[in-house]
Protein backbone atom coordinates (compact mmCIF):
# COMPACT_ATOMS: atom_id res chain seq x y z
CA UNK A 1 0.00 0.00 0.00
CA UNK A 2 1.35 3.42 -0.97
CA UNK A 3 0.51 6.75 0.59
CA UNK A 4 0.52 9.92 -1.48
CA UNK A 5 0.16 13.48 -0.28
CA UNK A 6 0.85 15.17 -3.63
CA UNK A 7 -1.58 15.29 -6.57
CA UNK A 8 1.18 14.98 -9.17
CA UNK A 9 2.77 11.88 -7.62
CA UNK A 10 -0.54 10.03 -7.37
CA UNK A 11 -1.55 10.97 -10.91
CA UNK A 12 1.76 9.81 -12.32
CA UNK A 13 1.39 6.37 -10.78
CA UNK A 14 -2.31 5.96 -11.58
CA UNK A 15 -1.86 6.96 -15.22
CA UNK A 16 0.48 4.01 -15.68
CA UNK A 17 -2.34 1.70 -14.57
CA UNK A 18 -4.98 3.36 -16.78
CA UNK A 19 -2.68 2.95 -19.79
CA UNK A 20 -2.71 -0.81 -19.29
CA UNK A 21 -6.52 -0.82 -19.10
CA UNK A 22 -6.67 -1.59 -15.38
CA UNK A 23 -9.85 -0.53 -13.57
CA UNK A 24 -9.61 1.89 -10.66
CA UNK A 25 -12.11 1.82 -7.80
CA UNK A 26 -12.21 5.02 -5.76
CA UNK A 27 -13.57 5.59 -2.24
CA UNK A 28 -13.55 9.24 -1.13
CA UNK A 29 -13.77 9.74 2.66
CA UNK A 30 -12.95 12.17 5.43
CA UNK A 31 -11.16 9.43 7.36
CA UNK A 32 -11.65 8.14 10.91
CA UNK A 33 -12.59 4.96 9.15
CA UNK A 34 -15.24 2.55 10.39
CA UNK A 35 -17.07 -0.51 9.02
CA UNK A 36 -19.24 1.70 6.81
CA UNK A 37 -16.15 2.94 4.97
CA UNK A 38 -14.78 -0.59 4.96
CA UNK A 39 -17.88 -1.87 3.18
CA UNK A 40 -17.26 0.68 0.41
CA UNK A 41 -13.63 -0.44 0.24
CA UNK A 42 -14.63 -4.11 0.13
CA UNK A 43 -17.00 -3.45 -2.76
CA UNK A 44 -14.28 -1.51 -4.58
CA UNK A 45 -11.79 -4.33 -3.94
CA UNK A 46 -14.17 -6.91 -5.44
CA UNK A 47 -14.87 -4.97 -8.62
CA UNK A 48 -11.58 -3.30 -9.56
CA UNK A 49 -7.88 -3.96 -10.18
CA UNK A 50 -6.71 -1.01 -8.10
CA UNK A 51 -8.36 0.54 -5.03
CA UNK A 52 -7.74 4.19 -4.18
CA UNK A 53 -8.91 5.65 -0.87
CA UNK A 54 -8.83 9.39 -0.26
CA UNK A 55 -8.79 10.86 3.22
CA UNK A 56 -9.44 14.57 3.24
CA UNK A 57 -11.47 16.63 5.69
CA UNK A 58 -12.73 19.13 3.15
CA UNK A 59 -13.05 22.62 4.69
CA UNK A 60 -15.33 23.77 1.85
CA UNK A 61 -18.17 21.54 2.99
CA UNK A 62 -18.22 22.77 6.59
CA UNK A 63 -20.22 25.82 7.65
CA UNK A 64 -18.69 28.50 9.92
CA UNK A 65 -20.29 27.04 13.09
CA UNK A 66 -19.73 23.40 12.22
CA UNK A 67 -17.18 20.84 13.43
CA UNK A 68 -14.28 21.28 10.97
CA UNK A 69 -11.70 21.80 13.73
CA UNK A 70 -12.95 19.03 15.99
CA UNK A 71 -13.77 16.49 13.26
CA UNK A 72 -12.14 13.24 14.48
CA UNK A 73 -8.83 12.41 12.79
CA UNK A 74 -6.46 9.46 13.28
CA UNK A 75 -4.33 8.78 10.24
CA UNK A 76 -2.22 6.03 11.84
CA UNK A 77 -5.36 4.03 12.62
CA UNK A 78 -6.86 4.74 9.19
CA UNK A 79 -3.68 3.43 7.59
CA UNK A 80 -4.13 0.09 9.38
CA UNK A 81 -7.82 -0.15 8.42
CA UNK A 82 -6.93 0.67 4.81
CA UNK A 83 -4.25 -2.01 4.79
CA UNK A 84 -6.58 -4.76 6.01
CA UNK A 85 -9.23 -3.59 3.53
CA UNK A 86 -6.90 -4.17 0.58
CA UNK A 87 -6.35 -0.52 -0.38
CA UNK A 88 -3.55 0.00 -2.92
CA UNK A 89 -3.22 3.78 -2.65
CA UNK A 90 -4.18 6.26 0.01
CA UNK A 91 -4.43 9.84 -1.15
CA UNK A 92 -3.97 12.01 1.93
CA UNK A 93 -3.48 15.59 0.77
CA UNK A 94 -3.18 18.74 2.86
CA UNK A 95 -5.66 21.58 2.50
CA UNK A 96 -2.92 23.59 0.72
CA UNK A 97 -2.38 20.77 -1.75
CA UNK A 98 -6.08 20.62 -2.64
CA UNK A 99 -6.71 24.38 -2.57
CA UNK A 100 -3.37 26.10 -3.26
CA UNK A 101 -4.95 29.42 -4.27
CA UNK A 102 -8.31 31.14 -4.43
CA UNK A 103 -10.13 29.33 -7.25
CA UNK A 104 -11.00 31.13 -10.43
CA UNK A 105 -13.72 28.58 -11.30
CA UNK A 106 -16.21 27.06 -8.87
CA UNK A 107 -18.78 24.26 -9.01
CA UNK A 108 -22.27 24.90 -7.62
CA UNK A 109 -25.21 22.62 -7.05
CA UNK A 110 -28.38 23.98 -8.66
CA UNK A 111 -30.85 21.22 -7.79
CA UNK A 112 -31.62 18.69 -5.04
CA UNK A 113 -29.90 20.89 -2.47
CA UNK A 114 -32.76 23.05 -1.16
CA UNK A 115 -34.02 20.20 1.08
CA UNK A 116 -32.68 17.98 3.90
CA UNK A 117 -29.00 18.67 4.73
CA UNK A 118 -28.76 21.10 1.82
CA UNK A 119 -31.27 23.46 3.43
CA UNK A 120 -29.79 23.05 6.92
CA UNK A 121 -26.14 23.36 5.85
CA UNK A 122 -25.95 26.19 3.28
CA UNK A 123 -23.03 25.73 0.87
CA UNK A 124 -22.35 22.18 2.09
CA UNK A 125 -23.10 20.45 -1.21
CA UNK A 126 -21.23 23.11 -3.21
CA UNK A 127 -18.21 22.12 -1.14
CA UNK A 128 -18.91 18.43 -1.72
CA UNK A 129 -19.24 18.68 -5.51
CA UNK A 130 -16.18 20.91 -5.72
CA UNK A 131 -13.95 18.45 -3.88
CA UNK A 132 -15.47 15.42 -5.63
CA UNK A 133 -14.94 17.07 -9.04
CA UNK A 134 -11.30 17.69 -8.16
CA UNK A 135 -10.83 14.16 -6.79
CA UNK A 136 -12.47 12.61 -9.87
CA UNK A 137 -10.07 14.54 -12.11
CA UNK A 138 -7.09 13.58 -9.97
CA UNK A 139 -7.91 9.86 -9.62
CA UNK A 140 -9.87 9.31 -12.87
CA UNK A 141 -11.55 6.23 -11.45
CA UNK A 142 -13.52 3.60 -13.34
CA UNK A 143 -15.96 3.35 -10.44
CA UNK A 144 -16.52 5.52 -7.36
CA UNK A 145 -18.25 4.28 -4.21
CA UNK A 146 -20.66 6.30 -2.08
CA UNK A 147 -22.71 5.28 0.95
CA UNK A 148 -26.48 5.58 1.08
CA UNK A 149 -26.04 6.85 4.63
CA UNK A 150 -25.57 10.17 2.81
CA UNK A 151 -28.46 9.55 0.43
CA UNK A 152 -28.78 13.20 -0.64
CA UNK A 153 -25.06 13.36 -1.37
CA UNK A 154 -25.28 10.16 -3.47
CA UNK A 155 -28.20 11.63 -5.45
CA UNK A 156 -26.27 14.86 -6.07
CA UNK A 157 -23.14 12.95 -7.14
CA UNK A 158 -25.30 11.06 -9.67
CA UNK A 159 -26.32 14.44 -11.11
CA UNK A 160 -22.73 15.73 -11.06
CA UNK A 161 -21.57 12.73 -13.09
CA UNK A 162 -24.50 12.99 -15.52
CA UNK A 163 -24.37 16.78 -15.95
CA UNK A 164 -20.58 16.96 -16.40
CA UNK A 165 -20.23 13.69 -18.36
CA UNK A 166 -17.75 12.03 -16.04
CA UNK A 167 -17.04 8.56 -17.48
CA UNK A 168 -17.37 7.08 -14.00
CA UNK A 169 -19.78 4.49 -12.66
CA UNK A 170 -21.22 5.52 -9.31
CA UNK A 171 -21.80 2.57 -7.00
CA UNK A 172 -24.10 3.14 -3.99
CA UNK A 173 -23.57 1.04 -0.90
CA UNK A 174 -26.17 0.29 1.80
CA UNK A 175 -25.90 1.73 5.30
CA UNK A 176 -23.77 -0.24 7.76
CA UNK A 177 -25.12 -0.21 11.30
CA UNK A 178 -23.98 -1.07 14.81
CA UNK A 179 -25.59 -4.24 16.23
CA UNK A 180 -28.16 -2.05 18.00
CA UNK A 181 -29.15 -0.34 14.75
CA UNK A 182 -27.29 2.98 15.06
CA UNK A 183 -25.84 3.93 11.67
CA UNK A 184 -22.05 3.85 11.84
CA UNK A 185 -20.57 7.33 11.68
CA UNK A 186 -17.25 8.97 12.46
CA UNK A 187 -19.29 11.48 14.48
CA UNK A 188 -20.71 8.84 16.86
CA UNK A 189 -17.64 9.41 19.07
CA UNK A 190 -19.09 12.82 19.97
CA UNK A 191 -22.06 11.21 21.73
CA UNK A 192 -22.24 11.17 25.51
CA UNK A 193 -22.88 7.79 27.13
CA UNK A 194 -26.59 8.56 27.60
CA UNK A 195 -26.94 9.84 24.03
CA UNK A 196 -25.19 6.76 22.66
CA UNK A 197 -27.63 4.56 24.57
CA UNK A 198 -30.75 6.20 23.15
CA UNK A 199 -29.43 6.99 19.64
CA UNK A 200 -30.44 3.56 18.20
CA UNK A 201 -34.05 4.78 18.61
CA UNK A 202 -33.44 6.99 15.58
CA UNK A 203 -33.38 3.84 13.43
CA UNK A 204 -36.07 2.16 15.52
CA UNK A 205 -38.41 5.02 14.54
CA UNK A 206 -37.54 4.54 10.88
CA UNK A 207 -38.19 0.80 11.17
CA UNK A 208 -41.58 1.45 12.78
CA UNK A 209 -42.41 3.78 9.91
CA UNK A 210 -41.54 0.99 7.48
CA UNK A 211 -43.85 -1.36 9.36
CA UNK A 212 -46.68 1.19 9.07
CA UNK A 213 -46.04 1.37 5.32
CA UNK A 214 -46.07 -2.44 5.10
CA UNK A 215 -49.48 -2.34 6.81
CA UNK A 216 -50.74 0.03 4.12
CA UNK A 217 -50.11 3.54 5.48
CA UNK A 218 -49.06 5.45 2.35
CA UNK A 219 -49.62 9.04 3.45
CA UNK A 220 -46.25 10.80 3.90
CA UNK A 221 -47.76 13.55 6.05
CA UNK A 222 -49.22 11.10 8.60
CA UNK A 223 -46.07 8.93 8.56
CA UNK A 224 -43.89 11.97 9.20
CA UNK A 225 -46.15 13.15 12.06
CA UNK A 226 -45.98 9.72 13.72
CA UNK A 227 -42.19 9.59 13.39
CA UNK A 228 -41.76 13.07 14.84
CA UNK A 229 -44.03 12.16 17.75
CA UNK A 230 -41.96 9.01 18.40
CA UNK A 231 -38.74 11.06 18.49
CA UNK A 232 -40.24 13.82 20.62
CA UNK A 233 -41.51 11.25 23.11
CA UNK A 234 -38.47 8.98 23.32
CA UNK A 235 -35.35 11.04 22.55
CA UNK A 236 -33.72 13.87 24.44
CA UNK A 237 -32.00 15.76 21.64
CA UNK A 238 -33.56 17.87 18.91
CA UNK A 239 -35.06 17.01 15.54
CA UNK A 240 -33.20 18.95 12.82
CA UNK A 241 -35.43 17.54 10.10
CA UNK A 242 -37.66 14.60 9.27
CA UNK A 243 -38.60 14.47 5.61
CA UNK A 244 -40.20 12.06 3.17
CA UNK A 245 -39.26 12.83 -0.45
CA UNK A 246 -39.06 11.08 -3.79
CA UNK A 247 -35.66 9.51 -4.51
CA UNK A 248 -33.38 10.34 -6.22
CA UNK A 249 -35.23 13.53 -7.32
CA UNK A 250 -35.80 14.71 -3.73
CA UNK A 251 -39.21 16.25 -4.47
CA UNK A 252 -42.23 16.40 -2.13
CA UNK A 253 -44.69 13.53 -2.61
CA UNK A 254 -48.33 13.14 -1.64
CA UNK A 255 -48.34 9.32 -1.51
CA UNK A 256 -45.82 6.51 -1.25
CA UNK A 257 -47.71 4.39 -3.78
CA UNK A 258 -45.62 3.85 -6.91
CA UNK A 259 -42.72 5.94 -5.58
CA UNK A 260 -39.20 5.32 -4.44
CA UNK A 261 -39.32 7.38 -1.26
CA UNK A 262 -36.50 8.53 0.97
CA UNK A 263 -37.38 8.89 4.65
CA UNK A 264 -34.53 10.94 6.06
CA UNK A 265 -33.76 12.19 9.56
CA UNK A 266 -31.20 14.56 11.00
CA UNK A 267 -31.07 14.56 14.78
CA UNK A 268 -29.05 16.90 16.98
CA UNK A 269 -27.39 15.86 20.21
CA UNK A 270 -25.20 18.06 22.40
CA UNK A 271 -22.09 17.68 20.23
CA UNK A 272 -23.20 15.44 17.36
CA UNK A 273 -25.65 15.86 14.55
CA UNK A 274 -26.59 12.37 13.32
CA UNK A 275 -28.27 11.49 10.02
CA UNK A 276 -30.07 8.31 9.03
CA UNK A 277 -32.58 7.20 6.44
CA UNK A 278 -34.48 4.37 4.80
CA UNK A 279 -35.47 4.02 1.16
CA UNK A 280 -38.94 2.65 0.49
CA UNK A 281 -39.83 1.35 -2.96
CA UNK A 282 -43.47 1.64 -4.07
CA UNK A 283 -44.61 1.05 -0.54
CA UNK A 284 -41.93 -1.59 0.08
CA UNK A 285 -38.46 -1.12 1.57
CA UNK A 286 -35.68 -1.38 -1.03
CA UNK A 287 -33.04 -3.05 1.13
P1 LIG B 1 -17.35 10.39 5.26
O1 LIG B 1 -15.99 9.96 5.65
O2 LIG B 1 -18.30 10.55 6.39
O3 LIG B 1 -17.33 11.57 4.32
O4 LIG B 1 -17.96 9.19 4.41
C1 LIG B 1 -17.29 8.69 3.27
C2 LIG B 1 -18.20 7.75 2.55
O5 LIG B 1 -18.57 6.67 3.41
C3 LIG B 1 -19.51 8.41 2.09
O6 LIG B 1 -19.85 7.93 0.80
C4 LIG B 1 -20.50 7.94 3.12
O7 LIG B 1 -21.83 7.89 2.66
C5 LIG B 1 -19.98 6.54 3.42
N1 LIG B 1 -20.45 6.09 4.73
C6 LIG B 1 -20.31 6.73 5.92
N2 LIG B 1 -20.93 6.05 6.91
C7 LIG B 1 -21.48 4.95 6.32
C8 LIG B 1 -22.25 3.86 6.80
N3 LIG B 1 -22.60 3.76 8.08
N4 LIG B 1 -22.64 2.92 5.92
C9 LIG B 1 -22.30 3.02 4.61
N5 LIG B 1 -21.58 4.03 4.08
C10 LIG B 1 -21.17 4.98 4.93
Amino acid sequence: MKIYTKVKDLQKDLMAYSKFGKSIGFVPTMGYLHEGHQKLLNEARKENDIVVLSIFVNPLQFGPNEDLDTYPRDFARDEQVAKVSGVDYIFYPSVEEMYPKTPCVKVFVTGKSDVLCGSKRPGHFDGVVTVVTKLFHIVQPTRAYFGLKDAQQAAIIDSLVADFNFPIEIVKVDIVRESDGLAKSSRNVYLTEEERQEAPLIYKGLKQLKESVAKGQMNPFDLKQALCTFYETNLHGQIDYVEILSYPDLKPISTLIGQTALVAVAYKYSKARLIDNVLIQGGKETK
Side-chain angles (χ1 to χ4, degrees):
M1 187 177 75
K2 290 186 181 170
I3 299 163
Y4 290 88
T5 55
K6 300 290 176 208
V7 172
K8 274 202 175 127
D9 296 340
L10 178 72
Q11 273 185 324
K12 202 171 137 207
D13 253 20
L14 288 179
M15 266 173 196
Y17 283 108
S18 304
K19 254 193 226 159
F20 291 112
K22 302 250 189 215
S23 57
I24 297 174
F26 176 46
V27 179
T29 77
M30 297 202 296
Y32 213 70
L33 302 179
H34 51 68
E35 286 88 342
H37 299 115
Q38 277 185 286
K39 182 155 184 208
L40 271 60
L41 292 169
N42 293 342
E43 294 300 314
R45 184 68 281 166
K46 274 192 254 162
E47 297 171 352
N48 302 278
D49 298 313
I50 305 296
V51 176
V52 180
L53 161 73
S54 67
I55 297 179
F56 180 60
V57 182
N58 174 33
L60 291 195
Q61 68 191 69
F62 286 78
N65 298 315
E66 293 184 353
D67 56 347
L68 173 63
D69 294 337
T70 56
Y71 194 85
R73 294 159 167 94
D74 187 344
F75 184 72
R77 193 177 142 275
D78 287 348
E79 206 183 319
Q80 294 313 310
V81 176
K83 213 176 261 178
V84 298
S85 305
V87 169
D88 297 298
Y89 294 116
I90 301 182
F91 181 46
Y92 180 51
S94 65
V95 173
E96 295 69 35
E97 181 68 10
M98 287 298 280
Y99 305 116
K101 52 186 187 233
T102 309
C104 181
V105 179
K106 284 191 173 178
V107 191
F108 291 107
V109 180
T110 53
K112 301 183 178 178
S113 63
D114 54 348
V115 291
L116 309 174
C117 291
S119 68
K120 297 289 176 177
R121 304 181 67 188
H124 169 68
F125 286 114
D126 294 336
V128 170
V129 291
T130 299
V131 79
V132 170
T133 299
K134 285 174 72 83
L135 290 168
F136 280 178
H137 285 305
I138 293 166
V139 177
Q140 302 191 20
T142 317
R143 298 179 190 86
Y145 295 78
F146 289 85
L148 280 168
K149 160 114 186 326
D150 300 274
Q152 185 175 20
Q153 171 174 276
I156 289 173
I157 298 298
D158 270 344
S159 294
L160 172 72
V161 165
D163 291 351
F164 284 1
N165 306 95
F166 281 102
I168 299 171
E169 181 189 338
I170 301 301
V171 181
K172 299 193 196 71
V173 177
D174 286 346
I175 300 176
V176 178
R177 300 180 177 281
E178 302 288 351
S179 54
D180 58 13
L182 177 64
K184 298 221 182 224
S185 166
S186 307
R187 289 186 167 101
N188 288 349
V189 293
Y190 295 149
L191 296 171
T192 65
E193 217 171 289
E194 294 77 31
E195 290 168 347
R196 175 63 190 84
Q197 272 186 5
E198 70 163 43
L201 294 177
I202 296 172
Y203 183 51
K204 188 173 179 195
L206 290 169
K207 277 200 300 191
Q208 285 178 357
L209 181 146
K210 264 172 19 191
E211 283 159 20
S212 302
V213 175
K215 285 183 196 149
Q217 173 58 274
M218 296 287 162
N219 182 321
F221 181 80
D222 293 343
L223 289 162
K224 178 179 158 173
Q225 283 303 313
L227 186 55
C228 287
T229 304
F230 175 80
Y231 290 153
E232 279 155 10
T233 313
N234 293 287
L235 299 179
H236 296 86
Q238 204 191 330
I239 296 172
D240 198 24
Y241 65 70
V242 170
E243 289 296 342
I244 303 180
L245 300 169
S246 63
Y247 194 81
D249 294 347
L250 304 180
K251 301 271 189 229
I253 47 176
S254 56
T255 176
L256 264 65
I257 297 170
Q259 300 272 357
T260 300
L262 173 73
V263 186
V265 179
Y267 198 83
K268 277 185 172 167
Y269 279 115
S270 53
K271 291 204 184 76
R273 178 181 174 278
L274 305 182
I275 58 170
D276 202 349
N277 69 76
V278 288
L279 278 169
I280 297 175
Q281 181 90 58
K284 288 196 186 115
E285 207 222 346
T286 59
K287 54 189 187 237

